[in-house]
Amino acid sequence: MTLEELIYSRLADNAAVSDMLTEYGGRPALFLQRAPDDTAQEWGAKKYPRAEYLVDMVADPERHSSGVVSVHIYSDDAGSPPEDIAPAVRKALCDIIMQADDGAYCITWERTELFDIEKNMSPNTLVNGCSLTFLLIAFPAQMTKDPDPALAVQDYLKELEPEALVINKDYIENVFEPSLHSPAFYVRVSQYETDRQTYALTWLNCIITIHIIVPTPEARNSWARFLADCLHMAGNVNMPDDSPLLIRKVAVDNAADYLTVGQISVRAQYAVTNYHENTHPLKERYFEE
């Protein structure tokens, strides 16, 4: 499913949202970008409350894509006030993981604004509204080949917390809703560089960032401290090829944005094998008698 289809399904199938909206063609009056004209035959006796949503994507050099999701709710004097519908919409979309056709995304609430329609959308109808703005961030897969530090930390987190969702490792059936005891983790390698080279190995320093997604700031802080302590005590993590990922430093920043920055930063070191060809062949045979 596309991201737009997932958002529609999430809102339309949520009883707290759909029960407060009128119907259009037998379905909740929820539309992508713009609602049909009020004269359309699919409208019933009531034309409000209704909702429109828009996904505005922008390119992101690190995350593939990010953007904004806007939901506009309209109502007249006879329907539920927009400010009563907005909390249900916010709860349905906030801090959930969506697995679209082009990757995993997370939506988080940013702000809510009330407004009035100066020019009536329908004759003799006074319409007011409410706009909800959500931030959208992509969680692209970063796995490459062995040895893979991102995959190593993913495996470690999954073994440590089997009930958690590890994004890009675990299967997601369209939508995953994190909870206090079932958080979502996203692991990415934000930086790496060569430390030193030997004949057999090249040692690399890397910075691994862990994002923790749970419903409340208190739970995010608790999970960050718990994971950091576990990494400190472990000292190293096994890579997929059984080589060690050496943990050099673990830092936690609870004030960091959990979607764009990530709360845990791990400085680690690992080695890749050098495959040498025989670059200095013996040109002349020499025998000493």
Side-chain angles (χ1 to χ4, degrees), residues 212-269:
I212 304 168
I213 305 169
V214 283
T216 66
E218 294 81 6
R220 287 194 291 270
N221 296 347
S222 297
W223 276 105
R225 175 65 183 273
F226 170 73
L227 296 182
D229 288 347
C230 291
L231 288 168
H232 278 130
M233 291 184 290
N236 63 80
V237 173
N238 288 332
M239 305 277 273
D241 63 350
D242 291 330
S243 64
L245 176 67
L246 306 176
I247 306 300
R248 298 305 189 192
K249 182 180 179 180
V250 180
V252 176
D253 185 359
N254 288 325
D257 186 277
Y258 59 97
L259 292 185
T260 59
V261 179
Q263 303 96 315
I264 301 178
S265 178
V266 181
R267 293 184 178 273
Q269 189 175 83

Side-chain angles (χ1 to χ4, degrees), residues 165-225:
L165 171 78
V166 180
I167 299 174
N168 294 320
K169 176 178 176 61
D170 293 331
Y171 175 76
I172 303 175
E173 181 66 38
N174 296 331
V175 174
F176 175 81
E177 187 173 352
S179 65
L180 297 178
H181 302 289
S182 299
F185 302 138
Y186 175 60
V187 180
R188 62 188 177 92
V189 178
S190 57
Q191 181 181 337
Y192 66 95
E193 62 183 3
T194 303
D195 180 78
R196 66 189 185 277
Q197 285 186 310
T198 64
Y199 179 81
L201 300 173
T202 296
W203 287 91
L204 301 172
N205 294 326
C206 65
I207 299 178
I208 303 168
T209 302
I210 303 175
H211 301 246
I212 304 168
I213 305 169
V214 283
T216 66
E218 294 81 6
R220 287 194 291 270
N221 296 347
S222 297
W223 276 105
R225 175 65 183 273

Side-chain angles (χ1 to χ4, degrees), residues 71-84:
V71 180
H72 307 295
I73 306 168
Y74 304 93
S75 186
D76 57 11
D77 293 338
S80 300
E83 57 268 27
D84 290 348

Side-chain angles (χ1 to χ4, degrees), residues 3-280:
L3 183 60
E4 291 81 1
E5 291 171 338
L6 287 172
I7 294 174
Y8 176 85
S9 177
R10 177 72 177 177
L11 294 175
D13 295 341
N14 188 296
V17 176
S18 60
D19 289 350
M20 288 189 284
L21 299 176
T22 189
E23 291 188 352
Y24 179 83
R27 293 287 292 165
L30 177 66
F31 308 98
L32 177 61
Q33 295 187 349
R34 187 172 182 177
D37 190 84
D38 287 357
T39 59
Q41 295 182 354
E42 286 81 359
W43 287 112
K46 297 175 57 179
K47 298 180 176 61
Y48 299 94
R50 66 175 68 163
E52 301 169 351
Y53 69 97
L54 174 66
V55 180
D56 187 10
M57 304 291 289
V58 296
D60 188 299
E62 183 181 11
R63 297 297 193 84
H64 170 65
S65 61
S66 58
V68 174
V69 176
S70 302
V71 180
H72 307 295
I73 306 168
Y74 304 93
S75 186
D76 57 11
D77 293 338
S80 300
E83 57 268 27
D84 290 348
I85 306 174
V89 173
R90 176 179 170 181
K91 184 177 181 180
L93 293 180
C94 189
D95 292 338
I96 62 171
I97 312 299
M98 291 187 170
Q99 182 65 53
D101 294 336
D102 59 345
Y105 294 87
C106 184
I107 300 175
T108 185
W109 173 77
E110 183 182 36
R111 66 181 183 272
T112 300
E113 299 174 318
L114 299 176
F115 64 87
D116 294 324
I117 304 298
E118 297 181 359
K119 183 178 180 181
N120 293 341
M121 299 177 66
S122 180
N124 303 319
T125 302
L126 179 62
V127 176
N128 51 27
C130 178
S131 289
L132 294 94
T133 302
F134 299 86
L135 297 181
L136 175 71
I137 191 72
F139 287 140
Q142 287 197 345
M143 283 75 73
T144 54
K145 67 180 185 65
D146 289 340
D148 190 329
L151 184 58
V153 175
Q154 284 185 354
D155 292 341
Y156 173 79
L157 293 177
K158 190 62 182 179
E159 183 178 356
L160 186 66
E161 289 296 327
E163 298 300 319
L165 171 78
V166 180
I167 299 174
N168 294 320
K169 176 178 176 61
D170 293 331
Y171 175 76
I172 303 175
E173 181 66 38
N174 296 331
V175 174
F176 175 81
E177 187 173 352
S179 65
L180 297 178
H181 302 289
S182 299
F185 302 138
Y186 175 60
V187 180
R188 62 188 177 92
V189 178
S190 57
Q191 181 181 337
Y192 66 95
E193 62 183 3
T194 303
D195 180 78
R196 66 189 185 277
Q197 285 186 310
T198 64
Y199 179 81
L201 300 173
T202 296
W203 287 91
L204 301 172
N205 294 326
C206 65
I207 299 178
I208 303 168
T209 302
I210 303 175
H211 301 246
I212 304 168
I213 305 169
V214 283
T216 66
E218 294 81 6
R220 287 194 291 270
N221 296 347
S222 297
W223 276 105
R225 175 65 183 273
F226 170 73
L227 296 182
D229 288 347
C230 291
L231 288 168
H232 278 130
M233 291 184 290
N236 63 80
V237 173
N238 288 332
M239 305 277 273
D241 63 350
D242 291 330
S243 64
L245 176 67
L246 306 176
I247 306 300
R248 298 305 189 192
K249 182 180 179 180
V250 180
V252 176
D253 185 359
N254 288 325
D257 186 277
Y258 59 97
L259 292 185
T260 59
V261 179
Q263 303 96 315
I264 301 178
S265 178
V266 181
R267 293 184 178 273
Q269 189 175 83
Y270 66 102
V272 295
T273 304
N274 297 331
Y275 295 96
H276 294 279
E277 295 181 358
N278 189 6
T279 57
H280 302 287

